[in-house]
Amino acid sequence: MSRAISPAEPFDDIEQQSGAATFGMWVFLATEVLFFGVLFAAYAYCRVQDPQGFVLASRHTDLLLGGIESVILLLSAAAAAWATALLRRDENRASANLLWGAAGLGALFMALHLYEYWKDYGEGLVPGLRFTYTGLHAQTVERFYALYYAMTLVHLLHLLIGIVLLAFYAREVRRQRIGAAYATPVMCVALYWDFVDMVWIFLFPMLYLLDRS
Amino acid sequence: MNRETLRAGRLPALMLLAQLVLLGFNLLSAHAGLGHLHTVFSIAIPVLMAGIVMIWAMHLRQRSGAVRLTALLGFAFWAVLAALTLADQLARVPVPPPW
């Protein structure tokens, strides 16, 4: 059973505090849309300049790994959503387990993506470090991979932050320091995790699924 | 795991299922040789998936007007940014060489 908690200064009650925290999180996420938006706009600009080159470059990405990563991230987001629903019902133990699961799936996503980077390095597809591609549209392929690394690395950084936060709150929930009485911090982390998931939902088709026929 | 715990997982499971189906469609459309139609699919399907996340996972429908406005403005400002970025490129008219 969750214990009653007092609101922090300057809030009158917990509901007001929760509303302010949630609103603050949404404002932060709106700025994040603009942060990623710059990269998405740069991608669109470069793709419009040489669509064929982008299709060619995209065929060098590992579709199977990308697909597996997508499924893993969707599973992770679902686990986080289930965890918050359980926390609201004061089921701390199950909620903590699911938060750990979400963090673990996030870490698995990260490991697979780092493996992809390693594979790309072996194939000479890392601009600035080892780029050996000399076929058709070589300049565009290099530009595509520069964008690929910029976008996926920024996404991985967000993912890492999310994993740390999920793991931290999984521990707090397990120790009963957070419960149904004030679940807002976990809700905010789940919002952030959903956003990270959403960014990948757009990145996957942009980077891996350009015309494969 | 009791019945209540499972019941709490029904919505996330439905969301996951819907997203996996959409992801499958996206994968199929990339291999189907749809030409320009594939571009439409590759934008529409992620938008649908993101809509599912925002409405059911992030509970946007139950949020206050201020929160919904904030979310809308985030995307609106991004649309302005993208439009201004692409305006130059898309408005260019190829000029044939004079010879």
Side-chain angles (χ1 to χ4, degrees):
Chain A
M1 186 68 82
S2 63
R3 60 199 155 85
I5 55 168
S6 326
E9 287 287 337
F11 302 106
D12 295 330
D13 53 50
I14 282 295
E15 269 175 38
Q16 192 187 40
Q17 184 178 338
S18 177
T22 309
F23 180 58
M25 192 64 200
W26 275 94
V27 171
F28 169 69
L29 293 181
T31 65
E32 287 281 272
V33 169
L34 291 174
F35 180 67
F36 277 99
V38 174
L39 291 167
F40 281 51
Y43 170 93
Y45 183 85
C46 293
R47 186 170 163 182
V48 165
Q49 280 187 326
D50 185 2
Q52 288 307 312
F54 262 53
V55 169
L56 193 68
S58 167
R59 288 182 181 163
H60 291 277
T61 56
D62 193 324
L63 183 58
L64 179 66
L65 268 179
I68 292 170
E69 286 164 21
S70 300
V71 173
I72 288 171
L73 210 54
L74 291 177
L75 276 168
S76 176
W82 194 4
T84 55
L86 288 175
L87 189 61
R88 278 196 293 255
R89 291 161 187 252
D90 229 351
E91 292 192 45
N92 277 46
R93 195 184 165 88
S95 176
N97 287 342
L98 282 164
L99 287 173
W100 278 118
L105 287 166
L108 181 60
F109 175 97
M110 204 162 185
L112 286 175
H113 213 85
L114 291 175
Y115 171 65
E116 250 189 277
Y117 287 164
W118 180 72
K119 267 182 66 186
D120 290 341
Y121 184 80
E123 289 169 21
L125 290 170
V126 186
L129 279 178
R130 190 165 178 268
F131 193 82
T132 56
Y133 180 85
T134 52
L136 281 170
H137 300 273
Q139 208 177 6
T140 305
V141 172
E142 188 168 10
R143 202 174 295 155
F144 173 90
Y145 270 95
L147 281 164
Y148 168 87
Y149 278 100
M151 293 167 117
T152 55
L153 278 170
V154 169
H155 180 254
L156 278 190
L157 177 66
H158 281 75
L159 198 86
L160 180 64
I161 294 167
I163 291 167
V164 171
L165 289 172
L166 282 170
F168 173 76
Y169 282 110
R171 201 185 63 162
E172 294 296 291
V173 168
R174 189 61 175 254
R175 292 180 175 180
Q176 308 276 341
R177 287 182 185 156
I178 290 180
Y182 188 63
T184 308
V186 179
M187 306 291 178
C188 286
V189 172
L191 279 178
Y192 176 80
W193 197 243
D194 286 328
F195 177 79
V196 172
D197 176 40
M198 214 162 68
V199 171
W200 182 256
I201 283 172
F202 284 98
L203 284 183
F204 178 60
M206 284 167 66
L207 300 173
Y208 295 78
L209 288 184
L210 307 189
D211 197 1
R212 289 263 177 176
S213 59
Chain B
M1 201 175 282
N2 61 38
R3 186 175 287 180
E4 283 300 307
T5 307
L6 286 174
R7 192 171 291 168
R10 195 188 295 163
L11 182 63
L14 284 174
M15 274 182 342
L16 176 66
L17 189 67
Q19 288 187 316
L20 288 176
V21 169
L22 287 169
L23 182 70
F25 277 131
N26 215 351
L27 282 163
L28 283 177
S29 77
H31 289 89
L34 298 172
H36 287 299
L37 204 58
H38 169 62
T39 311
V40 178
F41 274 103
S42 68
I43 294 170
I45 292 174
V47 167
L48 267 176
M49 290 172 80
I52 289 172
V53 173
M54 288 188 76
I55 292 169
W56 284 290
M58 299 168 98
H59 306 287
L60 195 59
R61 273 194 312 181
Q62 287 90 29
R63 304 284 180 195
S64 66
V67 167
R68 278 187 273 179
L69 184 66
T70 305
L72 182 73
L73 283 178
F75 287 106
F77 282 136
W78 176 78
V80 171
L81 170 77
L84 289 175
T85 307
L86 290 173
D88 167 56
Q89 190 68 27
L90 294 175
R92 285 185 191 179
V93 180
V95 180
W99 56 87

Short mmCIF file of all heavy atoms in Angstrom, two decimals, chain A residues 111-145:
data_model
loop_
_atom_site.label_atom_id
_atom_site.label_comp_id
_atom_site.label_asym_id
_atom_site.label_seq_id
_atom_site.Cartn_x
_atom_site.Cartn_y
_atom_site.Cartn_z
N ALA A 111 23.25 -2.57 -28.04
CA ALA A 111 24.32 -3.51 -28.38
C ALA A 111 24.24 -3.91 -29.86
O ALA A 111 25.27 -3.94 -30.55
CB ALA A 111 24.21 -4.75 -27.50
N LEU A 112 23.02 -4.16 -30.34
CA LEU A 112 22.86 -4.54 -31.75
C LEU A 112 23.27 -3.39 -32.67
O LEU A 112 23.89 -3.60 -33.72
CB LEU A 112 21.41 -4.94 -32.04
CG LEU A 112 20.97 -6.30 -31.50
CD1 LEU A 112 19.48 -6.52 -31.74
CD2 LEU A 112 21.76 -7.41 -32.18
N HIS A 113 22.94 -2.18 -32.25
CA HIS A 113 23.29 -1.04 -33.10
C HIS A 113 24.80 -0.81 -33.13
O HIS A 113 25.36 -0.46 -34.17
CB HIS A 113 22.54 0.22 -32.65
CG HIS A 113 22.22 1.09 -33.81
ND1 HIS A 113 21.09 0.92 -34.58
CD2 HIS A 113 22.92 2.07 -34.40
CE1 HIS A 113 21.12 1.78 -35.57
NE2 HIS A 113 22.21 2.50 -35.47
N LEU A 114 25.44 -1.01 -31.99
CA LEU A 114 26.90 -0.87 -31.96
C LEU A 114 27.55 -1.95 -32.84
O LEU A 114 28.55 -1.69 -33.51
CB LEU A 114 27.42 -0.95 -30.53
CG LEU A 114 27.03 0.24 -29.65
CD1 LEU A 114 27.48 0.01 -28.21
CD2 LEU A 114 27.64 1.54 -30.17
N TYR A 115 26.94 -3.14 -32.85
CA TYR A 115 27.43 -4.21 -33.73
C TYR A 115 27.29 -3.78 -35.21
O TYR A 115 28.19 -4.03 -36.03
CB TYR A 115 26.65 -5.50 -33.48
CG TYR A 115 26.91 -6.59 -34.47
CD1 TYR A 115 28.17 -7.19 -34.56
CD2 TYR A 115 25.92 -7.02 -35.36
CE1 TYR A 115 28.42 -8.19 -35.49
CE2 TYR A 115 26.17 -8.01 -36.28
CZ TYR A 115 27.41 -8.59 -36.36
OH TYR A 115 27.66 -9.57 -37.29
N GLU A 116 26.18 -3.09 -35.50
CA GLU A 116 25.99 -2.58 -36.88
C GLU A 116 27.09 -1.59 -37.25
O GLU A 116 27.61 -1.62 -38.36
CB GLU A 116 24.64 -1.87 -36.95
CG GLU A 116 23.61 -2.60 -37.77
CD GLU A 116 22.38 -1.76 -37.99
OE1 GLU A 116 21.53 -1.75 -37.08
OE2 GLU A 116 22.26 -1.11 -39.03
N TYR A 117 27.42 -0.72 -36.30
CA TYR A 117 28.51 0.25 -36.55
C TYR A 117 29.81 -0.49 -36.86
O TYR A 117 30.56 -0.11 -37.75
CB TYR A 117 28.72 1.15 -35.32
CG TYR A 117 27.65 2.19 -35.08
CD1 TYR A 117 27.55 2.83 -33.85
CD2 TYR A 117 26.74 2.55 -36.07
CE1 TYR A 117 26.57 3.79 -33.61
CE2 TYR A 117 25.77 3.50 -35.83
CZ TYR A 117 25.68 4.11 -34.60
OH TYR A 117 24.72 5.06 -34.37
N TRP A 118 30.05 -1.53 -36.08
CA TRP A 118 31.29 -2.31 -36.25
C TRP A 118 31.31 -2.95 -37.65
O TRP A 118 32.35 -2.95 -38.32
CB TRP A 118 31.37 -3.36 -35.15
CG TRP A 118 32.58 -4.22 -35.22
CD1 TRP A 118 33.87 -3.85 -34.93
CD2 TRP A 118 32.65 -5.59 -35.62
NE1 TRP A 118 34.72 -4.91 -35.12
CE2 TRP A 118 34.01 -5.99 -35.55
CE3 TRP A 118 31.70 -6.52 -36.03
CZ2 TRP A 118 34.43 -7.27 -35.88
CZ3 TRP A 118 32.12 -7.80 -36.35
CH2 TRP A 118 33.47 -8.16 -36.28
N LYS A 119 30.15 -3.47 -38.07
CA LYS A 119 30.03 -4.07 -39.41
C LYS A 119 30.27 -3.01 -40.49
O LYS A 119 30.98 -3.24 -41.48
CB LYS A 119 28.64 -4.67 -39.60
CG LYS A 119 28.56 -6.14 -39.23
CD LYS A 119 27.19 -6.69 -39.49
CE LYS A 119 26.85 -6.72 -40.97
NZ LYS A 119 25.49 -7.11 -41.26
N ASP A 120 29.67 -1.84 -40.30
CA ASP A 120 29.85 -0.75 -41.27
C ASP A 120 31.32 -0.35 -41.37
O ASP A 120 31.82 -0.05 -42.45
CB ASP A 120 29.02 0.48 -40.85
CG ASP A 120 27.53 0.25 -41.02
OD1 ASP A 120 27.15 -0.67 -41.76
OD2 ASP A 120 26.75 0.99 -40.39
N TYR A 121 31.99 -0.35 -40.22
CA TYR A 121 33.41 0.01 -40.21
C TYR A 121 34.19 -1.01 -41.05
O TYR A 121 35.05 -0.65 -41.86
CB TYR A 121 33.93 0.04 -38.77
CG TYR A 121 35.37 0.49 -38.67
CD1 TYR A 121 35.69 1.84 -38.71
CD2 TYR A 121 36.40 -0.43 -38.55
CE1 TYR A 121 37.02 2.26 -38.64
CE2 TYR A 121 37.73 -0.03 -38.47
CZ TYR A 121 38.02 1.32 -38.52
OH TYR A 121 39.33 1.74 -38.46
N GLY A 122 33.85 -2.28 -40.88
CA GLY A 122 34.51 -3.34 -41.65
C GLY A 122 34.26 -3.20 -43.14
O GLY A 122 35.13 -3.52 -43.96
N GLU A 123 33.08 -2.69 -43.51
CA GLU A 123 32.73 -2.53 -44.92
C GLU A 123 33.19 -1.18 -45.48
O GLU A 123 32.92 -0.87 -46.64
CB GLU A 123 31.21 -2.68 -45.11
CG GLU A 123 30.72 -4.10 -44.91
CD GLU A 123 29.20 -4.18 -44.85
OE1 GLU A 123 28.53 -3.27 -45.34
OE2 GLU A 123 28.70 -5.17 -44.27
N GLY A 124 33.86 -0.41 -44.64
CA GLY A 124 34.36 0.90 -45.10
C GLY A 124 33.23 1.89 -45.36
O GLY A 124 33.26 2.63 -46.35
N LEU A 125 32.27 1.95 -44.47
CA LEU A 125 31.12 2.85 -44.66
C LEU A 125 31.02 3.90 -43.54
O LEU A 125 29.93 4.33 -43.19
CB LEU A 125 29.82 2.03 -44.72
CG LEU A 125 29.63 1.17 -45.97
CD1 LEU A 125 28.43 0.23 -45.81
CD2 LEU A 125 29.46 2.02 -47.22
N VAL A 126 32.16 4.25 -42.98
CA VAL A 126 32.14 5.25 -41.90
C VAL A 126 32.85 6.52 -42.37
O VAL A 126 34.09 6.56 -42.39
CB VAL A 126 32.80 4.70 -40.62
CG1 VAL A 126 32.62 5.69 -39.47
CG2 VAL A 126 32.22 3.35 -40.24
N PRO A 127 32.09 7.54 -42.77
CA PRO A 127 32.73 8.78 -43.26
C PRO A 127 33.63 9.39 -42.19
O PRO A 127 33.29 9.43 -41.01
CB PRO A 127 31.55 9.70 -43.54
CG PRO A 127 30.37 8.82 -43.65
CD PRO A 127 30.63 7.64 -42.77
N GLY A 128 34.80 9.83 -42.65
CA GLY A 128 35.72 10.49 -41.72
C GLY A 128 36.68 9.52 -41.05
O GLY A 128 37.78 9.89 -40.67
N LEU A 129 36.26 8.26 -40.88
CA LEU A 129 37.13 7.27 -40.24
C LEU A 129 37.63 6.24 -41.25
O LEU A 129 38.84 6.02 -41.39
CB LEU A 129 36.37 6.54 -39.13
CG LEU A 129 36.24 7.23 -37.78
CD1 LEU A 129 35.43 6.37 -36.83
CD2 LEU A 129 37.61 7.50 -37.18
N ARG A 130 36.70 5.63 -41.91
CA ARG A 130 37.07 4.60 -42.90
C ARG A 130 35.95 4.53 -43.94
O ARG A 130 34.98 3.79 -43.75
CB ARG A 130 37.27 3.25 -42.21
CG ARG A 130 37.88 2.20 -43.11
CD ARG A 130 38.39 1.01 -42.31
NE ARG A 130 38.93 0.01 -43.23
CZ ARG A 130 38.22 -0.99 -43.72
NH1 ARG A 130 36.96 -1.14 -43.37
NH2 ARG A 130 38.76 -1.86 -44.56
N PHE A 131 36.12 5.30 -45.01
CA PHE A 131 35.10 5.28 -46.06
C PHE A 131 35.78 4.88 -47.36
O PHE A 131 36.58 5.63 -47.92
CB PHE A 131 34.42 6.64 -46.19
CG PHE A 131 33.19 6.57 -47.04
CD1 PHE A 131 31.97 6.15 -46.51
CD2 PHE A 131 33.23 6.90 -48.40
CE1 PHE A 131 30.83 6.05 -47.30
CE2 PHE A 131 32.09 6.80 -49.18
CZ PHE A 131 30.90 6.38 -48.64
N THR A 132 35.48 3.69 -47.85
CA THR A 132 36.18 3.16 -49.03
C THR A 132 35.26 2.95 -50.22
O THR A 132 35.69 2.47 -51.25
CB THR A 132 36.85 1.81 -48.67
OG1 THR A 132 35.84 0.93 -48.16
CG2 THR A 132 37.94 1.98 -47.64
N TYR A 133 33.98 3.32 -50.07
CA TYR A 133 33.02 3.10 -51.16
C TYR A 133 33.38 3.99 -52.35
O TYR A 133 33.54 5.21 -52.20
CB TYR A 133 31.61 3.40 -50.67
CG TYR A 133 30.53 3.20 -51.71
CD1 TYR A 133 29.98 1.96 -51.93
CD2 TYR A 133 30.08 4.28 -52.49
CE1 TYR A 133 28.99 1.77 -52.89
CE2 TYR A 133 29.10 4.10 -53.45
CZ TYR A 133 28.56 2.84 -53.65
OH TYR A 133 27.59 2.66 -54.60
N THR A 134 33.49 3.39 -53.54
CA THR A 134 33.89 4.18 -54.72
C THR A 134 32.93 3.98 -55.90
O THR A 134 33.21 4.43 -57.00
CB THR A 134 35.31 3.79 -55.17
OG1 THR A 134 35.35 2.36 -55.33
CG2 THR A 134 36.37 4.27 -54.21
N GLY A 135 31.81 3.30 -55.66
CA GLY A 135 30.88 3.01 -56.76
C GLY A 135 30.08 4.23 -57.18
O GLY A 135 30.49 5.38 -56.94
N LEU A 136 28.92 3.95 -57.78
CA LEU A 136 28.03 5.02 -58.24
C LEU A 136 27.57 5.89 -57.07
O LEU A 136 27.39 5.40 -55.97
CB LEU A 136 26.79 4.40 -58.90
CG LEU A 136 26.93 3.90 -60.34
CD1 LEU A 136 25.69 3.10 -60.72
CD2 LEU A 136 27.16 5.04 -61.30
N HIS A 137 27.37 7.17 -57.33
CA HIS A 137 26.87 8.12 -56.33
C HIS A 137 27.70 8.11 -55.04
O HIS A 137 27.15 8.24 -53.95
CB HIS A 137 25.40 7.81 -55.96
CG HIS A 137 24.45 7.86 -57.11
ND1 HIS A 137 23.82 9.00 -57.52
CD2 HIS A 137 24.02 6.89 -57.96
CE1 HIS A 137 23.03 8.74 -58.57
NE2 HIS A 137 23.14 7.46 -58.85
N ALA A 138 29.01 7.95 -55.18
CA ALA A 138 29.86 7.80 -53.98
C ALA A 138 29.70 8.97 -53.00
O ALA A 138 29.64 8.77 -51.78
CB ALA A 138 31.32 7.65 -54.39
N GLN A 139 29.61 10.19 -53.57
CA GLN A 139 29.50 11.38 -52.70
C GLN A 139 28.19 11.36 -51.91
O GLN A 139 28.17 11.67 -50.72
CB GLN A 139 29.58 12.63 -53.57
CG GLN A 139 30.15 13.81 -52.82
CD GLN A 139 30.29 15.03 -53.72
OE1 GLN A 139 29.86 15.02 -54.87
NE2 GLN A 139 30.88 16.07 -53.18
N THR A 140 27.12 10.96 -52.61
CA THR A 140 25.81 10.91 -51.92
C THR A 140 25.80 9.80 -50.87
O THR A 140 25.25 9.97 -49.79
CB THR A 140 24.67 10.66 -52.94
OG1 THR A 140 24.75 11.67 -53.93
CG2 THR A 140 23.32 10.70 -52.27
N VAL A 141 26.42 8.66 -51.21
CA VAL A 141 26.47 7.56 -50.24
C VAL A 141 27.21 8.02 -48.98
O VAL A 141 26.78 7.74 -47.86
CB VAL A 141 27.15 6.31 -50.87
CG1 VAL A 141 27.37 5.22 -49.81
CG2 VAL A 141 26.30 5.76 -52.01
N GLU A 142 28.29 8.76 -49.18
CA GLU A 142 29.04 9.28 -48.02
C GLU A 142 28.18 10.25 -47.20
O GLU A 142 28.16 10.19 -45.97
CB GLU A 142 30.32 9.97 -48.50
CG GLU A 142 31.23 10.35 -47.34
CD GLU A 142 32.60 10.78 -47.79
OE1 GLU A 142 32.81 10.96 -49.00
OE2 GLU A 142 33.48 10.93 -46.91
N ARG A 143 27.43 11.09 -47.92
CA ARG A 143 26.56 12.05 -47.23
C ARG A 143 25.46 11.30 -46.46
O ARG A 143 25.14 11.67 -45.33
CB ARG A 143 25.93 12.99 -48.27
CG ARG A 143 25.44 14.29 -47.69
CD ARG A 143 24.97 15.21 -48.78
NE ARG A 143 26.03 15.62 -49.68
CZ ARG A 143 25.85 16.02 -50.95
NH1 ARG A 143 24.64 16.04 -51.46
NH2 ARG A 143 26.86 16.39 -51.70
N PHE A 144 24.91 10.27 -47.08
CA PHE A 144 23.88 9.46 -46.42
C PHE A 144 24.43 8.88 -45.12
O PHE A 144 23.78 8.94 -44.07
CB PHE A 144 23.41 8.33 -47.36
CG PHE A 144 22.48 7.34 -46.72
CD1 PHE A 144 21.10 7.53 -46.74
CD2 PHE A 144 22.97 6.20 -46.07
CE1 PHE A 144 20.23 6.61 -46.14
CE2 PHE A 144 22.11 5.29 -45.47
CZ PHE A 144 20.74 5.49 -45.51
N TYR A 145 25.63 8.32 -45.21
CA TYR A 145 26.19 7.69 -44.01
C TYR A 145 26.58 8.72 -42.94
O TYR A 145 26.51 8.42 -41.74
CB TYR A 145 27.34 6.75 -44.37
CG TYR A 145 26.80 5.35 -44.62
CD1 TYR A 145 26.49 4.93 -45.90
CD2 TYR A 145 26.49 4.50 -43.56
CE1 TYR A 145 25.92 3.69 -46.13
CE2 TYR A 145 25.92 3.26 -43.77
CZ TYR A 145 25.65 2.85 -45.05
OH TYR A 145 25.07 1.64 -45.26
#
